[in-house]
Amino acid sequence: MHHHPNTEKKTFLQIVWDIVFIFFYPIITTFALLFVGLVFIVSSLSRLLSRLTPSKETVVEVKKPEWEPLTTCASFDVERLWVDEIMFGPAYYQLRTKPAMQSVASLYFGDFHVSCFGGLLLQKWNTTVPKELPDFDLVFLDGQTGELQTLKTIKAFNWNAEVLEEDKVLVKWFTGTEGGQMEISRKDVVRDQSLA
């Protein structure tokens, strides 16, 4: 009669495995049941709370731009309408005046505006194509005639103005590497001095 030592080993290992299995099986089963139960309770509470709270729809209402007052200058009021903005850049607008001046109706303008000489200095956009910018004209809108007069083409986004005296305005601009300036006086823009 031959003894099989492997049989005794397997039997011993099987006995150890059976003891470990019998000991840990209830613990693992209990943990799994508790976990499933906890998930069920949390999801049930979540469903119940969502029914009790009034539903708030996350629809973002896109507000249509409206005309807003820009300035009152001499004998006319100017309003602007936001059109769009250049990515990482400035916005541009349409303008309308009361009384109506057709010279500004189909053009785009920037934020820059200065009331002076019975009219308005404005930044007129020559293009809205980002790669072609900056390309603007400094223009004067005559408050008496409604005429739009181009004073200078300026290749810079940053403009500011300083009223030096009643008859002079200094417009400065900066391109990021260099700046420029232009002094404008009443006689440069107002054609009929008797109206001024």
Side-chain angles (χ1 to χ4, degrees):
M1 188 174 168
H2 290 284
H3 285 291
H4 294 290
N6 282 349
T7 312
E8 286 178 15
K9 238 183 186 178
K10 278 185 182 176
T11 311
F12 176 74
L13 284 176
Q14 281 179 340
I15 292 170
V16 170
W17 172 250
D18 289 344
I19 292 170
V20 168
F21 184 77
I22 289 168
F23 181 73
F24 283 107
Y25 182 77
I27 296 171
I28 293 170
T29 307
T30 305
F31 178 77
L33 288 173
L34 285 174
F35 183 75
V36 169
L38 187 65
V39 168
F40 177 76
I41 289 168
V42 169
S43 67
S44 297
L45 280 174
S46 174
R47 236 179 290 132
L48 181 66
L49 285 174
S50 69
R51 285 187 194 149
L52 293 176
T53 8
S55 64
K56 291 180 182 175
E57 292 189 23
T58 55
V59 176
V60 177
E61 187 178 321
V62 177
K63 193 175 180 186
K64 189 177 176 190
E66 295 176 359
W67 288 98
E68 59 183 35
L70 178 64
T71 187
T72 298
C73 184
S75 59
F76 62 100
D77 294 326
V78 183
E79 295 181 326
R80 71 180 181 179
L81 177 70
W82 182 88
V83 177
D84 202 355
E85 61 186 44
I86 302 302
M87 189 179 293
F88 309 116
Y92 54 95
Y93 306 84
Q94 284 185 306
L95 298 183
R96 72 178 178 190
T97 59
K98 293 177 184 178
M101 297 178 187
Q102 291 305 311
S103 56
V104 298
S106 60
L107 303 172
Y108 296 124
F109 298 88
D111 278 317
F112 177 87
H113 65 281
V114 179
S115 298
C116 59
F117 320 131
L120 204 57
L121 287 172
L122 296 165
Q123 179 192 62
K124 181 176 78 69
W125 287 46
N126 295 323
T127 180
T128 57
V129 178
K131 66 180 179 182
E132 295 174 12
L133 289 170
D135 183 8
F136 310 112
D137 284 341
L138 173 62
V139 296
F140 179 73
L141 175 62
D142 191 309
Q144 300 295 331
T145 65
E147 181 187 353
L148 198 64
Q149 181 184 349
T150 301
L151 304 175
K152 184 169 183 67
T153 298
I154 299 173
K155 305 280 190 180
F157 283 111
N158 300 320
W159 297 17
N160 61 54
E162 181 184 342
V163 178
L164 300 176
E165 49 193 77
E166 191 180 318
D167 287 349
K168 283 188 184 165
V169 174
L170 180 66
V171 176
K172 295 179 179 181
W173 57 89
F174 186 66
T175 63
T177 55
E178 58 185 38
Q181 64 182 37
M182 178 181 183
E183 193 174 284
I184 303 155
S185 62
R186 180 181 295 273
K187 64 179 174 14
D188 296 332
V189 293
V190 178
R191 299 277 162 89
D192 187 349
Q193 293 296 319
S194 64
L195 297 173

